[in-house]
Each structure stands twice: as C-alpha cells, then as structure tokens.
C-alpha cells in the first residue's frame, strides 16, 4: 500500500453543503472508507477532494415511514441496518445481506451508500501499483487492453456488493442529490454493466437515502458463497423475493451479484403464475445461466461460481416457497 496522494478533505454538516462540495471538480464522496481508502492507497483513483458524509446527522437515520416503507439514510452503517429490530422483522433480507458484508469491524464503519456505490473488482485491478505497472496496467485504469476478455473494448470487473441484490428484489429505490436538484431511481437503474463506468450518477450526484417498500405478503432472503465466512466478498450472491398464493407462485423476483459488472435482475416470466416444481426450477436455472456472465475476475474458478449461483437460487426459492 502507498501513502495517499495529496488531497483535501471536507466534512460538511448539511446536505446542502455536501451538494456544493461534491459539485467541485475532482470531488468524491467518502463514507466509511472501507472500499475507497484501500483503493486510493493502491493508486486506484486520484480524487482531489474527499467529501466526508458522516457528519450529516440526517444521513444516518433509519426509520419506518407512515406508508409502511423503510427509509435508510445513505450514511447509516451496515451494523446499524443489520442490527435494528424493525429491519430484521420487516425486511429480513436487507438485514441479512447487510450482516453478511465483510466482517464486524468493517460493518461498524461501512455505510449503505458506500456499499451500493463500491467499485467493481478484478484480480488484474485490485493490485499494487508496481504489480499493475509490471503487467502493463489494463483498460480500467492507465492501460489499453483487458486481461480478462482480451479483445474487449470495455471492462468486465465484477460488482461484489451484497446489499444491492436484496434491495433490487424488494423493489427499492434510491434518493439522489446533485447540482441539478434531487431525483429518485429504482436501485437496479443505479448501475451500468460496465466495470469502469459502474454507476448512472451524473457528475456531482450522490445518494442521500434508500427507500424499501413494505413487504406485505412477499417473503425474501439473501445468500452468498465466499472463501472465508468471516470476511469475504460474494463469489456469487443471490436475493430472492417470492409471493405465494396457494399452489401458485404469484410473484418472483431474483437478483444476483458477484457475477457481472452490475447486480442484475434475472427474468422470471417463465416461472411465475404456476407452481414451483422441478420444471419451474429448470426454467429458472436457464434464466440464471443466461443472465450471469461469470468471468475470471476473481481467484475462484468460474465453474465453481456458476454452480454456486445455481445452487443458491434453487435453495432460496425452495425455502421461501415452503415457508410461504
Ligand atoms: C477485506 C474487505 C472485505 C469486504 N467484503 C465485502 C463484502 O463481503 N461485501 C460487500 O458488499 N463489500 C465488501 N467490502 C467492500 C466495502 O467494505 C463495503 O462495500 C462497504 O459497505 C463500503 O461502504 P463504505 O461506507 O466504507 O464506502 P466507502 O469506501 O466510503 O465508499 C465506497 C464508494 O462509494 C462512494 N460513495 C460512498 N457513499 C456514497 C454516497 N452516499 N453516494 C454516492 N457515492 C458514495 C465512494 O465515493 C466510493 O467510490 C469489503 C472490503 C474489504 C476491504
Ligand atoms: S476486467 Fe479487464 S479492464 Fe476490467 S479490471 Fe479486469 S483486466 Fe482490467
């Protein structure tokens, strides 16, 4: 790890102040710093100004709103989210996903906004400066070719965020602030499937809150495969939300992470409106296979990650169908 390059840090006390600070050229939000700071110390990015969002009181609130939805400030920590009784009872998949991120010390600092907006990862990118220089860098930063998909003109680095798929499966949205005002987006629309571009945020835009609708008669869960249960990123992660009416699967939403450059929705049209049985499971498995583009961006073999993904989707859907 290198020393940080020269930069300024600002610590605004209000959302308006943060909007002004982040409108500055070369400014970047800093939340828990658990993703950003290790990356900067490896030379992965050179922001001129870091805008620390953790002093803005309104940004760490977690509350259940009058319409029954859950509102989480973007700087609420994952430990707070995973630990809060209202979240564990009303939105257990969100609490589970937040509680499975990294290790307990990370979760005390790491925030939901930072978790959603974390950088994509790749074995050829998350390396020291000298390692990357020795390998001629790569398309994502300073180089001109991708080592994973050699003839590609885009980066395939993988998105490994745990909480995004749970939020997507629950139809959550993000509130965004920026120089042009505020706007709201479905969580799925925050991401772009390009490992270098990552997010659909315009310059100066940042997340202020995440809103998750009431679950009503939906049931949902999140599961991940990782090398070490104590700390690691998902090699494959799956969120399933399901609504059962008698012997009929009335609604099914599946989202995946750890496979592509963005968390993605798996199309489930061929499965809903019927019973969850072996045939439906085979149809869903094909949809998962068609959606996931697992490449050699991590140390774990591609075949293992594909199989884990299929197994997790099947296991979660079976369990939720039975519980419902
Ligand atoms: C050893 C290790 C293990 C990890 N394991 C996991 C894991 O299992 N699962 C997982 O999901 N992650 C994992 N991470 C990544 C990271 O720790 C988490 O994703 C964490 O939630 C990031 O949140 P943060 O608040 O620390 O973000 P930061 O590091 O502060 O920021 C991350 C990125 O988000 C941007 N950002 C922060 N807040 C906002 C905002 N409000 N609006 C717009 N952009 C914003 C920053 O500019 C930066 O680009 C791991 C990291 C390490 C070092
Ligand atoms: S996928 Fe290719 S371009 Fe992207 S980080 Fe890895 S090697 Fe670099």
């Amino acid at each position: 790890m290198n020393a940080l390059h020269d930069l300024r840090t600002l610590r605004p006390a209000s959302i308006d102040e943060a909007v002004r600070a982040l409108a500055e050229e070369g400014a970047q939000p800093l939340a828990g710093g658990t993703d950003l700071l290790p990356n900067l110390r490896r030379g992965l990015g050179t922001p001129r100004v870091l805008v620390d969002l953790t002093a803005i009181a309104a940004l760490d609130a977690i509350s259940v709103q009058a319409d029954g939805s859950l509102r989480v400030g973007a700087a609420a920590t994952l430990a707070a989210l995973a630990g809060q009784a209202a979240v564990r009872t009303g939105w257990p998949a969100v609490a589970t996903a937040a509680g499975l991120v990294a290790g307990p010390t990370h979760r005390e600092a790491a925030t939901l906004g930072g978790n959603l907006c974390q950088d994509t990862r790749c074995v050829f990118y998350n390396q020291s400066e000298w390692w990357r220089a020795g390998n001629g860098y790569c398309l994502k930063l300073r180089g001109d070719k991708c080592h994973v998909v050699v003839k590609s003109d885009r980066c395939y680095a993988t998105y490994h965020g745990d909480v995004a798929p749970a939020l997507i499966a629950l139809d959550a949205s993000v509130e965004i602030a920026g120089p042009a005002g505020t706007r709201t987006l479905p969580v799925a629309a925050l991401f772009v499937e390009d490992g270098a571009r990552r997010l659909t945020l315009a310059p100066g835009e940042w997340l202020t809150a995440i809103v998750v609708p009431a679950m009503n008669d939906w049931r949902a869960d999140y599961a991940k495969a990782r090398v070490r249960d104590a700390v690691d990123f998902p090699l494959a992660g799956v969120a399933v939300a399901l609504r059962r009416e008698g012997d009929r699967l009335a609604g099914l939403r599946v989202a995946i992470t750890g496979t592509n450059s963005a968390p993605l929705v798996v199309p489930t049209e061929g499965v809903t409106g019927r019973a969850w049985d072996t045939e439906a499971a085979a149809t869903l498995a094909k949809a998962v296979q068609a959606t996931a583009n697992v490449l050699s961006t991590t140390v774990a073999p591609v075949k293992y990650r594909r199989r884990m993904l299929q197994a997790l989707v099947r296991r979660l859907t079976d369990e939720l169908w039975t519980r419902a």
Side-chain angles (χ1 to χ4, degrees):
M1 293 264 182
N2 303 327
L4 283 181
H5 64 282
D6 276 345
L7 48 74
R8 278 190 300 136
T9 51
L10 298 175
R11 202 150 192 259
S14 72
I15 290 182
D16 286 350
E17 250 183 74
V19 167
R20 283 195 293 278
L22 283 163
E24 220 179 288
E25 209 188 315
Q28 185 171 355
L30 168 70
T34 60
D35 180 55
L36 182 58
L37 294 180
N39 282 350
L40 295 185
R41 292 190 67 184
R42 290 184 152 175
L44 302 172
T46 47
R48 284 194 222 151
V49 185
L50 289 184
V51 181
D52 180 351
L53 302 175
T54 59
I56 305 171
L59 282 191
D60 67 7
I62 301 176
S63 60
V64 179
Q65 306 191 103
D67 65 356
S69 61
L70 173 72
R71 190 167 190 283
V72 186
T77 66
L78 298 178
L81 190 60
Q84 213 179 83
V87 183
R88 294 169 78 92
T89 317
W91 295 268
V94 175
T96 299
L100 288 174
V101 171
T105 45
H106 280 88
R107 295 193 293 273
E108 288 297 330
T111 66
L112 181 55
N115 188 265
L116 290 176
C117 298
Q118 67 181 272
D119 200 359
T120 52
R121 301 180 67 81
C122 171
V123 278
F124 294 97
Y125 176 74
N126 297 90
Q127 299 288 354
S128 62
E129 169 65 26
W130 65 263
W131 191 100
R132 284 178 295 118
N135 286 280
Y137 298 103
C138 75
L139 255 188
K140 186 168 178 184
L141 190 70
R142 297 178 70 177
D144 56 9
K145 78 167 192 245
C146 172
H147 304 296
V148 172
V149 182
V150 175
K151 289 195 176 150
S152 169
D153 56 3
R154 74 116 158 142
C155 167
Y156 284 85
T158 307
Y159 181 80
H160 290 278
D162 277 303
V163 193
L167 295 174
I168 291 170
L170 296 180
D171 213 13
S173 51
V174 282
E175 294 177 1
I176 295 166
T182 55
R183 63 187 178 112
T184 301
L185 266 188
V187 172
L190 175 64
F191 300 96
V192 57
E193 233 218 306
D194 178 323
R197 278 205 298 135
R198 301 168 29 223
L199 302 170
T200 56
L201 296 175
E205 282 192 325
W206 54 286
L207 310 190
T208 51
I210 294 85
V211 177
V212 196
M215 296 260 315
N216 298 322
D217 44 0
W218 285 84
R219 290 183 185 253
D221 209 347
Y222 174 77
K224 72 192 264 190
R226 54 181 162 176
V227 177
R228 298 162 297 181
D229 269 350
V231 72
D232 276 319
F233 287 92
L235 297 168
V238 173
V240 176
L242 171 155
R243 196 161 61 80
R244 178 174 179 171
E245 280 171 6
D247 278 341
R248 199 174 140 264
L249 193 52
L252 180 67
R253 298 196 209 109
V254 178
I256 57 175
T257 189
T259 59
N260 296 52
S261 294
L264 292 183
V265 174
V266 175
T268 56
E269 292 79 21
V271 185
T272 43
R274 49 174 294 171
W276 174 248
D277 53 18
T278 318
E279 207 181 304
T283 306
L284 184 59
K286 277 193 195 143
V288 170
Q289 196 180 336
T291 307
N293 184 23
V294 185
L295 295 168
S296 300
T297 50
T298 76
V299 288
V302 166
K303 210 168 170 186
Y304 169 79
R305 288 163 64 208
R306 278 204 201 111
R307 291 173 106 174
M308 285 310 292
L309 187 69
Q310 293 286 358
L312 292 174
V313 172
R314 178 67 195 259
R315 195 189 81 198
L316 279 191
T317 317
D318 279 349
E319 283 173 9
L320 290 167
W321 171 257
T322 309
R323 268 197 261 153

